Amino acid sequence: IVNFTVTMQGLEEQMLGDVVAIEKAELEETKNKIIQSVANDKKKLKQYEDGILEDLESASGNILDNQKVIDSLKKAQSTSELLSKRLKDAEVQSASIDVARLEYVPVATRASILYFVIADLAMIDPMYQYSLDYFKVMFAKVVQDTEPHDDFQHHLQVLIKNITAAVYTNICGGLFKKDKTIFSFMIAIQVKRQNGSITDNEWQYLLRSGAFVNPEDEENCPMPWLTGAKWALLCALEKTVPAFAGLTNDIKARPKVWQAWIESRVYSNTLPLPGPDIGDGAPEDHCSDAPDANWDEAKPILESLGMSTAARPGREELEKAMLELSKVGRFDDGFKLCKLMCPPDTGAKWANLSQMQRMIIIKVCRMPDLLFSVTEFVKWDLGPHFIDPPAFSIENSTKDANSTTPIIFILSPGADPFTLLLDFAQSRGFRERMHVVSLGQGQGETAKRALDTGRKNGDWVILQNCHLSKSFMPELEKIIANFGSHTAGPMNPTFRLWLTSMPSSFFPIPILQNSIKLTNENPTGIRANMLRCYNDIKDIDLFDKEVSFPECTKENAYHKLLFGLCLFHSIISERKKFGPLGWNIKYEFGDIDLSFGSQWLFMFLDEQNTVPWDALIYVIGQIVYGGRVTDPWDRRTLLSILSNFFRPEMLQDEYKMSASGIYTVPLLGDLEHYKDFIRTLPIHDHPEIFGMHENANIAFQLQECEILLNTVLSVQPRAAGKSSGDSGPTPEEMVQQKVIEFESTIPAILDIEEESGPNTWRTMPNGLPYSLCTVLNHEIEKFNKLLKAMYQTLAELQKALKGLTVLSEDLDAMFNSFLNNQVPMLWEKKAYPSLKPLGSWYKDLLERVAFTRKWLRKGEPPAFWMSGMFYPHGFMTGTLQAYARQTGTSVDVLGFKFTIMEMPAEEIDKSPEAGVYVYGLFMDSCLWNKEKWVIEDSLPGVPYAQLPVVHFLPEKHHKKPDTYYAAPLYKTTVRKGNLSSLGQSTNFVLAVEVPSDMSEDYWVQKGAALVCALND
């Protein structure tokens, strides 16, 4: 296999030639002439040598008597001396030119780094393709547009800055919002790695921290407030990155200080500075001890928040201020306030950490804050421009477009740029000269005719939805490749080709690489969505002011319910950002849904004498919006949210739609009045408007951080070996060590014949087999399949690492999974659903097999660890069948009654007379209150809590009590699964009813549920 990709060093040489050719044209021209002259001289010298050899070969007799040979030798000697002198002179001159050229190496190096970052984007999305020629044109334009400066070093820095900024701005226009931060982060990281500011160990630990963990450290955590997994990561960090030497000892010495920092809800990348532990004689509040300079720096920040600066505030007040600053992204100001609270510096052990090192420990200790740290890292190294992408503008993005360069709109669900394109065409006088073709089956010939007409007349051609015309794409590629050639015919300079497409793997790469790419996504945030909704409304004065309902005029009802409908639409659209807490499945609610909803609202109000609340909720909730919703639990959530806005209270003036009162129903007014009211709403949405707990923000931040890390990891090449200065093991050594660990600890196959106990396989008095024994048999069968696959693949990988067999594609993927601390696909196919990283997954597997083995040897346990089962659905069915056979009841009429038990699982020594005791379930977005014996809101920063033992008791014709909440139980926290034939997600197990003193809607909108297994 030959890899034709340009290398970093080769590209750097190319870019060096390009920048020198622009900045020092005469220098590059001279060098090229020297290269050509040297080549010609060497060619002549070779010709003379070949001629002499030919003469000598053809000469006969005494060579000294051959005058022709002697003359040739004399001429060759003189010419050779002349050419040698010229070559030496050329080498001297070339060396002096190289010295001058080398001054531009930093610029060429930065350009090379930027291109390779851009090239990696194609692994994130197939539409992110850019050719080297496209990049070089962009690079040359920036160099040409940069004004010279008397200070050459300053000029170099300006060049580097301008090139980096121009590349970021240009490329960002074609990236989705979720990838823009990743792009700027990758630029910053690669610049730092190239100049040696970031070591390979630091970079690898940030991306693959779990792969460095020693499982034994997890068992030896000395801090009750710290999880074993986090302690193991800290121990691994101390061993991997020398800057963190002494970290674990410092945590042991000052546990309260570290606990306060790790559990703080205020973002800060400043680690606990050296000083006494809280409660060891040092005052906890160090604000009065802070230097005057720090206080002077903090005053204007506090005043901007409306706080008094007459006296120094205490720690509690400062933490509140920092929380407000973090909400609006003012992290630099928050850092300045943080300095007021730090204890006096007595050594600055952690104050000297680099930005990268701070980012690493924030990932370990405070993962939800990692995105803030990444943003700060980029801002620190590249500047604020790189964390604030340029606003979408067709005019700015296409100013360098020409007749041969296609312009591609990369589409996102729910966003249609066609209206913006029409407005832009109108402003350029091309509105009547547009040829629009919506591609699909049979539209290829229409598109070709439009292209021919457009090229000749200089019109604009818009080919929409290219992703729906796969068969036409190769033909379109050929047509565009011929743009500008003689065979294609005349090309009018005002001709423009616009394409729109969803991301597609079959979209022609040559078109992508040499096109201008644009993305236009829907706005984020409730305020922006509400404004968008009202901008699409043309008229709201649809009712006669005299026509009235008993409660109010129809005009008033329509205005307020329309406002509620727009807010409902914005909330359900934005709710997906919270991941599984928002929706089990992400839905794209579009403008068409809102349009139909508003039409139904008008029709119902126009035709009825009273507001038909039930009809409105059914039609808009179940049909208009509910038609998109496939998960029944999502449908419950949708209807619950809609009921907040379609209720009689909405007709009251300034009715509060949120607990804080920030979101209220505006007074009656015209269209602009409502837009002005919407502009007063918060820019950043608080979870309360979604009906969610503040922990929902943590879930959102955690989800964003995981996406960022996984995306960056996916584009990284495999490390080839140990780099200089890094003392860690090579990738092969790391994987070899893991293989040895797994092979030495993997459980033995569950042997039914050898291990079965005397009471394991029993039958019922009526002779029928006991259903839970069937469940056990199925569990053993599934675990054995997984264990056998693990034995086999570990042995094969071991041989491949030793070179005894070929490293197949599957084994190579397994190798990468071990490096990245991920469960190999070869195991995942045979395993139960799990989101755990490899280390935690393996530990969990050992516990699951141990539970099943104990059940096999000792018989049915008094309480069942439901989370440890391969197939919990089967266990539920087996429990119902056992009861049905025991009592002679039809299984079809049975349901479960749920009772929360006081006794912990380890103290239960006897099975219930009917049903089963179940333990090991987790509560998501709620917790159990032992005093009130009901569920209540989660603690801040603690999204999950353990559910006590539950008695699952089969009951005939069971009905849920009114004071209970039906919490859906899922296998994993992602909640999403495949839709089964019964209309339920394969991730869903059953609904567990738990006591509550709050309404069901309260918990539904919070996303409260139960899960069998967590993510770590």
Side-chain angles (χ1 to χ4, degrees):
I1 298 174
V2 180
N3 185 355
F4 289 98
T5 306
V6 66
T7 63
M8 177 76 79
Q9 187 177 356
L11 180 59
E12 190 175 310
E13 185 62 31
Q14 286 187 48
M15 304 315 294
L16 181 60
D18 288 353
V19 69
V20 174
I22 298 171
E23 289 271 307
K24 304 282 186 182
E26 72 289 347
L27 208 64
E28 193 67 11
E29 186 178 347
T30 303
K31 181 175 175 62
N32 289 335
K33 286 180 179 178
I34 291 172
I35 292 172
Q36 188 174 0
S37 173
V38 167
N40 290 335
D41 287 346
K42 287 183 177 179
K43 184 178 179 182
K44 286 180 182 179
L45 198 58
K46 183 72 167 58
Q47 288 173 348
Y48 280 124
E49 291 173 352
D50 291 344
I52 292 169
L53 291 173
E54 187 177 342
D55 290 342
L56 290 172
E57 186 179 358
S58 61
S60 58
N62 190 346
I63 194 171
L64 297 176
D65 295 334
N66 193 325
Q67 189 59 41
K68 182 183 177 182
V69 172
I70 292 172
D71 291 342
S72 296
L73 286 170
K74 287 180 179 179
K75 186 177 179 181
Q77 182 181 5
S78 61
T79 305
S80 177
E81 289 173 355
L82 177 63
L83 292 179
S84 296
K85 185 176 183 304
R86 282 166 58 179
L87 285 172
K88 286 181 180 178
D89 292 342
E91 287 176 4
V92 172
Q93 194 175 2
S94 180
S96 64
I97 291 174
D98 285 341
V99 170
R101 290 175 83 246
L102 288 175
E103 293 179 328
Y104 286 94
V105 165
V107 178
T109 301
R110 176 60 61 90
S112 184
I113 290 171
L114 292 173
Y115 174 74
F116 277 96
V117 170
I118 292 170
D120 285 341
L121 293 175
M123 290 187 275
I124 298 176
D125 191 294
M127 304 298 279
Y128 298 164
Q129 302 274 357
Y130 298 87
S131 69
L132 180 56
D133 290 338
Y134 179 91
F135 176 79
K136 291 176 79 171
V137 169
M138 181 168 47
F139 171 79
K141 187 176 186 307
V142 176
V143 176
Q144 290 167 353
D145 293 346
T146 302
E147 295 291 332
H149 195 277
D150 295 337
D151 185 341
F152 182 72
Q153 290 303 319
H154 175 78
H155 178 61
L156 285 182
Q157 293 305 313
V158 172
L159 271 176
I160 291 172
K161 181 180 177 182
N162 289 352
I163 291 166
T164 309
V167 167
Y168 174 75
T169 302
N170 187 292
I171 301 300
C172 257
L175 303 182
F176 291 119
K177 184 179 178 182
K178 66 182 178 63
D179 298 323
K180 291 178 180 180
T181 301
I182 293 172
F183 179 48
S184 57
F185 178 58
M186 287 167 64
I187 292 174
I189 284 292
Q190 293 307 325
V191 169
K192 285 286 198 182
R193 292 187 71 195
Q194 189 275 332
N195 65 27
S197 300
I198 295 176
T199 68
D200 191 56
N201 273 1
E202 290 173 349
W203 179 233
Q204 294 301 327
Y205 188 87
L206 180 70
L207 296 181
R208 303 179 169 100
S209 52
F212 293 82
V213 166
N214 181 352
E216 294 179 3
D217 291 331
E218 197 168 331
E219 307 296 332
N220 301 320
C221 179
M223 307 296 166
W225 48 269
L226 201 60
T227 64
K230 196 168 288 185
W231 177 255
L233 286 170
L234 289 167
C235 293
L237 175 59
E238 186 177 49
K239 297 169 186 174
T240 308
V241 182
F244 289 99
L247 175 63
T248 55
N249 286 336
D250 189 39
I251 295 174
K252 292 175 184 176
R254 301 186 301 147
K256 293 179 182 177
V257 167
W258 279 94
Q259 182 181 4
W261 180 77
I262 290 174
E263 296 179 353
S264 173
R265 291 156 57 202
V266 180
Y267 168 70
S268 170
N269 75 346
T270 305
L271 274 64
L273 294 175
D277 194 22
I278 296 173
D280 290 349
E284 182 178 350
D285 194 337
H286 297 278
C287 303
S288 59
D289 305 329
D292 291 337
N294 290 357
W295 171 240
D296 293 338
E297 191 178 43
K299 274 185 180 180
I301 300 170
L302 296 171
E303 290 169 353
S304 71
L305 297 173
M307 294 177 63
S308 171
T309 56
R312 294 193 179 193
R315 185 183 190 91
E316 186 175 343
E317 292 171 280
L318 284 174
E319 285 189 342
K320 289 180 181 178
M322 289 172 67
L323 190 59
E324 292 302 313
L325 291 171
S326 67
K327 287 179 181 178
V328 295
R330 292 172 61 184
F331 303 121
D332 285 346
D333 289 342
F335 173 71
K336 292 171 184 175
L337 296 189
C338 183
K339 288 195 290 188
L340 290 178
M341 297 189 292
C342 291
D345 188 357
T346 59
K349 171 66 179 176
W350 312 121
N352 296 324
L353 294 177
S354 67
Q355 288 286 329
M356 177 66 175
Q357 290 160 355
R358 293 168 191 262
M359 190 159 51
I360 290 172
I361 196 166
I362 282 173
K363 184 214 171 184
V364 173
C365 296
R366 303 173 57 158
M367 181 68 164
D369 289 340
L370 180 62
L371 199 58
F372 299 142
S373 187
V374 166
T375 302
E376 201 168 90
F377 174 80
V378 172
K379 182 179 177 182
W380 183 276
D381 286 311
L382 299 179
H385 170 70
F386 292 84
I387 59 172
D388 188 17
F392 175 79
S393 167
I394 298 181
E395 184 173 0
N396 292 338
S397 300
T398 59
K399 60 185 177 183
D400 296 326
N402 56 49
S403 58
T404 61
T405 304
I407 304 164
I408 303 176
F409 277 100
I410 306 175
L411 304 176
S412 59
D416 185 4
F418 188 64
T419 304
L420 295 172
L421 186 52
L422 288 178
D423 294 340
F424 181 62
Q426 183 74 39
S427 69
R428 293 302 180 93
F430 279 85
R431 179 64 183 84
E432 305 303 323
R433 297 173 58 189
M434 295 176 67
H435 304 271
V436 182
V437 180
S438 183
L439 291 177
Q441 189 173 6
Q443 292 299 306
E445 291 302 318
T446 307
K448 285 193 284 186
R449 287 195 296 270
L451 286 168
D452 287 338
T453 304
R455 285 190 302 175
K456 293 174 184 176
N457 301 336
D459 297 340
W460 287 8
V461 176
I462 296 94
L463 303 183
Q464 293 183 299
N465 301 322
C466 292
H467 59 283
L468 300 180
S469 188
K470 182 178 181 179
S471 60
F472 180 62
M473 288 300 99
E475 199 165 353
L476 179 63
E477 180 184 346
K478 294 177 183 177
I479 293 172
I480 293 175
N482 287 327
F483 278 3
S485 67
H486 298 295
T487 57
M491 177 78 76
N492 194 303
T494 61
F495 167 72
R496 295 290 183 273
L497 173 59
W498 305 79
L499 308 172
T500 70
S501 176
M502 294 290 285
S504 306
S505 58
F506 57 79
F507 199 99
I509 291 176
I511 299 178
L512 290 169
Q513 288 185 333
N514 297 287
S515 64
I516 294 172
K517 288 176 279 294
L518 304 173
T519 56
N520 177 38
E521 299 174 85
N522 283 334
T524 56
I526 287 178
R527 188 175 82 163
N529 270 284
M530 288 284 287
L531 280 173
R532 185 168 177 269
C533 293
Y534 270 83
N535 285 334
D536 291 339
I537 296 173
K538 305 304 179 186
D539 187 15
I540 58 173
D541 297 320
L542 305 179
F543 287 97
D544 190 326
K545 298 184 184 296
E546 304 301 322
V547 180
S548 179
F549 289 125
E551 304 95 328
C552 61
T553 65
K554 287 195 174 185
E555 177 192 39
N556 187 53
Y558 178 69
H559 281 214
K560 291 183 175 178
L561 292 181
L562 180 63
F563 184 87
L565 178 63
C566 291
L567 184 54
F568 162 75
H569 178 84
S570 302
I571 286 173
I572 62 174
S573 298
E574 280 296 295
R575 193 177 170 94
K576 65 185 178 185
K577 74 179 184 180
F578 296 108
L581 283 180
W583 302 108
N584 290 351
I585 300 170
K586 286 187 177 181
Y587 306 100
E588 297 296 339
F589 299 106
D591 297 340
I592 191 70
D593 300 312
L594 180 62
S595 176
F596 280 132
S598 59
Q599 289 176 34
W600 277 105
L601 174 64
F602 171 76
M603 188 180 71
F604 274 124
L605 297 185
D606 185 44
E607 295 179 355
Q608 302 293 325
N609 296 322
T610 59
V611 181
W613 299 109
D614 292 340
L616 280 170
I617 289 175
Y618 182 82
V619 171
I620 294 176
Q622 293 279 18
I623 300 174
V624 176
Y625 284 93
R628 293 187 184 274
V629 179
T630 56
D631 187 289
W633 297 100
D634 284 341
R635 187 180 295 269
R636 181 179 74 161
T637 302
L638 181 85
L639 294 173
S640 176
I641 296 171
L642 184 61
S643 68
N644 289 343
F645 306 107
F646 277 26
R647 59 199 309 169
E649 292 85 349
M650 279 291 293
L651 304 180
Q652 301 171 8
D653 287 340
E654 298 185 306
Y655 167 66
K656 295 181 179 179
M657 294 179 287
S658 65
S660 65
I662 295 175
Y663 294 86
T664 61
V665 178
L667 299 173
L668 196 64
D670 59 14
L671 202 55
E672 282 305 313
H673 163 75
Y674 292 107
K675 291 181 183 179
D676 290 339
F677 178 83
I678 292 168
R679 292 186 185 100
T680 65
L681 297 177
I683 297 176
H684 301 280
D685 305 324
H686 193 275
E688 69 158 10
I689 187 58
F690 300 96
M692 305 180 87
H693 191 272
E694 61 182 283
N695 286 345
N697 269 342
I698 297 176
F700 168 64
Q701 291 166 10
L702 194 60
Q703 174 184 264
E704 293 292 293
C705 294
E706 289 173 347
I707 290 173
L708 183 143
L709 286 176
N710 290 336
T711 303
V712 174
L713 181 61
S714 70
V715 303
Q716 297 305 305
R718 183 194 299 170
K722 200 178 298 184
S723 60
S724 59
D726 288 327
S727 57
T730 64
E732 289 74 16
E733 291 170 347
M734 292 174 66
V735 173
Q736 181 76 39
Q737 183 61 36
K738 280 190 177 294
V739 171
I740 293 171
E741 288 176 8
F742 289 145
E743 286 187 325
S744 63
T745 56
I746 189 170
I749 299 297
L750 295 160
D751 192 328
I752 293 179
E753 293 185 4
E754 296 294 331
E755 297 186 65
S756 295
N759 300 318
T760 302
W761 309 104
R762 57 193 180 96
T763 57
M764 304 183 72
N766 55 14
L768 293 173
Y770 190 55
S771 298
L772 289 184
C773 292
T774 307
V775 172
L776 173 60
N777 191 54
H778 289 167
E779 289 287 309
I780 290 173
E781 183 180 343
K782 289 180 178 293
F783 274 116
N784 281 345
K785 284 182 180 179
L786 172 59
L787 292 173
K788 288 175 182 177
M790 292 175 67
Y791 273 113
Q792 180 184 347
T793 53
L794 284 171
E796 290 174 355
L797 183 57
Q798 182 79 282
K799 290 179 181 178
L801 290 172
K802 293 177 179 178
L804 301 177
T805 186
V806 176
L807 187 69
S808 66
E809 186 177 346
D810 285 339
L811 291 179
D812 186 56
M814 185 175 178
F815 182 97
N816 286 327
S817 296
F818 278 9
L819 272 184
N820 299 336
N821 197 34
Q822 297 168 345
V823 181
M825 186 59 66
L826 290 170
W827 296 0
E828 201 171 291
K829 289 177 182 178
K830 304 283 186 182
Y832 42 84
S834 177
L835 302 176
K836 296 178 183 290
L838 179 59
S840 301
W841 179 90
Y842 186 70
K843 180 182 176 184
D844 180 58
L845 171 68
L846 297 181
E847 293 173 354
R848 287 174 183 250
V849 174
F851 170 77
T852 307
R853 178 164 272 119
K854 185 177 180 181
W855 185 357
L856 174 62
R857 290 176 175 178
K858 297 188 177 182
E860 182 182 319
F864 289 88
W865 181 34
M866 188 171 171
S867 301
M869 294 185 183
F870 219 108
Y871 189 58
H873 299 83
F875 173 68
M876 292 292 95
T877 303
T879 302
L880 291 175
Q881 285 181 344
Y883 182 84
R885 290 174 177 177
Q886 184 179 356
T887 60
T889 308
S890 171
V891 74
D892 294 334
V893 301
L894 291 177
F896 280 113
K897 176 184 177 182
F898 304 91
T899 305
I900 307 295
M901 308 298 293
E902 293 186 30
M903 191 178 298
E906 54 271 15
E907 295 181 12
I908 296 177
D909 55 9
K910 185 180 179 183
S911 300
E913 293 182 4
V916 291
Y917 293 134
V918 167
Y919 68 94
L921 304 181
F922 297 91
M923 310 182 76
D924 187 356
S925 301
C926 57
L927 60 81
W928 180 250
N929 187 317
K930 293 181 180 178
E931 285 72 34
K932 296 182 179 179
W933 213 250
V934 291
I935 57 170
E936 64 178 14
D937 283 334
S938 302
L939 296 174
V942 187
Y944 302 105
Q946 189 89 37
L947 180 69
V949 176
V950 183
H951 183 194
F952 285 53
L953 177 63
E955 185 178 70
K956 289 177 64 175
H957 304 293
H958 172 76
K959 290 185 179 180
K960 181 181 76 70
D962 293 338
T963 57
Y964 277 61
Y965 167 64
L969 171 64
Y970 299 97
K971 296 177 185 177
T972 64
T973 59
V974 76
R975 303 190 186 183
K976 178 183 177 181
N978 299 320
L979 201 64
S980 69
S981 58
L982 299 177
Q984 294 282 6
S985 165
T986 52
N987 203 336
F988 171 74
V989 182
L990 82 167
V992 178
E993 297 159 6
V994 288
S996 169
D997 56 4
M998 304 294 289
S999 69
E1000 185 167 75
D1001 285 336
Y1002 180 85
W1003 295 113
V1004 167
Q1005 292 175 37
K1006 274 188 165 42
L1010 304 180
V1011 292
C1012 290
L1014 302 182
N1015 297 0
D1016 52 19

